Amino acid sequence: MRKIALALSLLVAVAAWAAKPVTVVFTVEPAMSCQNCEKKITENLRYVKGVSDIVTTLKDNTVTVTYDQDKSSVANLQAEFKKIGYTATEVTGKASKVAAEKPAKAAKVSAKKAACCKE
């Protein structure tokens, strides 16, 4: 009986370990222009199932999200952005790799400001 329990535990551990996280980079509209914008995004996205890390960069208007692809998807994340008033566009290809590695060289920041930042 112990051998069966040990084998089952090992199988579950290997399955959990095998799940590889995916990292995706988004630009958002309206542009993030303050810490409140960043907080709004991180506070809402952290509750999305499968999300393990969120990095926002005001300077480049990017949001880098690491998630479990078995539990979420790019479309699901974009829907979550929409719920809080943002349109998220995935940065793909070489630009995505550069943005994930060096956020300071990511996409341009839009001049359009978020509602929380308007005076």
Side-chain angles (χ1 to χ4, degrees):
M1 188 67 170
R2 284 186 183 182
K3 289 181 182 181
I4 292 173
L6 180 60
L8 185 58
S9 297
L10 184 59
L11 182 62
V12 170
V14 168
W17 178 73
K20 293 187 178 184
V22 175
T23 300
V24 62
V25 179
F26 295 103
T27 58
V28 293
E29 283 291 325
M32 296 181 295
S33 53
C34 68
Q35 289 178 344
N36 287 333
C37 298
E38 287 182 307
K39 183 177 179 182
K40 182 178 182 179
I41 289 170
T42 57
E43 289 294 315
N44 285 281
L45 289 182
R46 73 182 183 150
Y47 294 108
V48 175
K49 190 171 186 173
V51 171
S52 59
D53 191 36
I54 305 163
V55 177
T56 57
T57 307
L58 277 176
K59 182 179 178 184
D60 301 318
N61 193 44
T62 60
V63 180
T64 304
V65 182
T66 302
Y67 67 97
D68 180 343
Q69 64 185 355
D70 292 336
K71 296 180 181 179
S72 194
S73 66
V74 170
N76 185 35
L77 293 169
Q78 288 173 320
E80 292 298 324
F81 275 103
K82 191 168 189 146
K83 286 181 184 178
I84 57 172
Y86 290 92
T87 301
T89 305
E90 182 181 5
V91 180
T92 58
K94 187 176 180 180
S96 175
K97 190 173 185 179
V98 169
E101 292 172 0
K102 298 179 183 178
K105 294 186 178 179
K108 295 179 189 176
V109 176
S110 168
K112 190 175 176 184
K113 289 188 175 182
C116 70
C117 304
K118 291 182 180 177
E119 295 180 44

